[in-house]
Amino acid sequence: AELGNLNKLLELRMADNQLSGSIPPELGSMTNLQLLDLHGNQLSGTIPPELGNLANLTGLSLFLNKLSGSIAPELGNLTNLEAVVISHNQLSGTLPPEMGNMISLKHLSLSNNPLLTGALPNTFTGLANLDNLFFILTNLCEPPDAAFQAWLSGITNLERSGLICDFTQVNIDIRHGRFPNRSSLEIHQ
């Protein structure tokens, strides 16, 4: 928690130190931080949404930990971020569309998070600088539309899950009358 008081610090490198526990939300107070490297530890819990306050951050490396939960939409505030490496964790849920606001992003590694699910956000097509996208060994799927596929084909280094989104699945469930956790349903044509 005292690390949060180091507001003039530019780089925090604490990789491969067998650190455990959660990432302190107070790190979000280190407003001049450009690099946060905590990879290769035993960190658990979620990625704190407060990290979305690190406006000067260009590199975020949290791979090879035990981080869980969903990716906070607040990380989309990091428009100077060039590299996000959060692979080899236990992250889950869908990717927030706000990640498409990371306009400086060149490298995004999400691999080996098998509990990440759903479609890659269409907002990713605004990531014009993205050269490296890795989402192998996840359950993330690619939207099948031509515009998204054209954007995806322009990425230099791409490691895919191999899944194409099947947006007809909802229709199949509706036709079979299965409406889990729904108290009402509206159908429009």
Side-chain angles (χ1 to χ4, degrees):
E2 292 180 21
L3 283 174
N5 295 329
L6 301 173
N7 56 7
K8 295 189 188 294
L9 193 66
L10 298 178
E11 295 185 356
L12 180 58
R13 297 176 187 255
M14 299 181 77
D16 299 314
N17 276 295
Q18 298 181 339
L19 299 174
S20 61
S22 59
I23 299 172
E26 293 81 7
L27 293 182
S29 301
M30 302 173 76
T31 53
N32 288 311
L33 201 62
Q34 295 173 4
L35 174 68
L36 179 57
D37 184 358
L38 302 173
H39 83 267
N41 286 295
Q42 300 294 315
L43 296 170
S44 58
T46 60
I47 300 171
E50 291 84 356
L51 296 185
N53 297 330
L54 301 174
N56 293 312
L57 201 65
T58 59
L60 178 62
S61 180
L62 302 174
F63 71 98
L64 284 172
N65 277 291
K66 297 179 178 179
L67 298 170
S68 60
S70 59
I71 298 170
E74 290 83 354
L75 293 184
N77 297 338
L78 303 176
T79 57
N80 290 315
L81 205 52
E82 296 178 5
V84 176
V85 186
I86 52 178
S87 54
H88 297 272
N89 278 291
Q90 298 162 13
L91 299 170
S92 61
T94 59
L95 300 180
E98 291 85 354
M99 288 180 73
N101 297 334
M102 299 176 174
I103 55 173
S104 301
L105 202 58
K106 297 177 183 177
H107 182 97
L108 177 59
S109 182
L110 304 162
S111 298
N112 289 81
N113 282 294
L115 299 177
L116 284 177
T117 60
L120 293 172
N122 278 318
T123 57
F124 275 22
T125 59
L127 301 175
N129 297 312
L130 195 64
D131 289 325
N132 303 292
L133 176 59
F134 306 123
F135 61 102
I136 194 168
L137 299 176
T138 69
N139 279 296
L140 294 168
C141 62
E142 305 168 16
D145 62 274
F148 193 89
Q149 290 296 317
W151 170 79
L152 207 54
S153 68
I155 295 175
T156 307
N157 297 306
L158 182 62
E159 291 183 6
R160 303 168 132 146
S161 66
L163 301 174
I164 302 294
C165 301
D166 181 5
F167 295 122
T168 61
Q169 184 65 41
V170 173
N171 294 333
I172 291 169
D173 284 348
I174 289 172
R175 280 184 250 144
H176 288 82
R178 290 190 297 262
F179 311 109
N181 302 320
R182 302 280 185 235
S183 58
S184 66
L185 176 67
E186 285 185 40
I187 300 176
H188 302 276
Q189 272 192 311

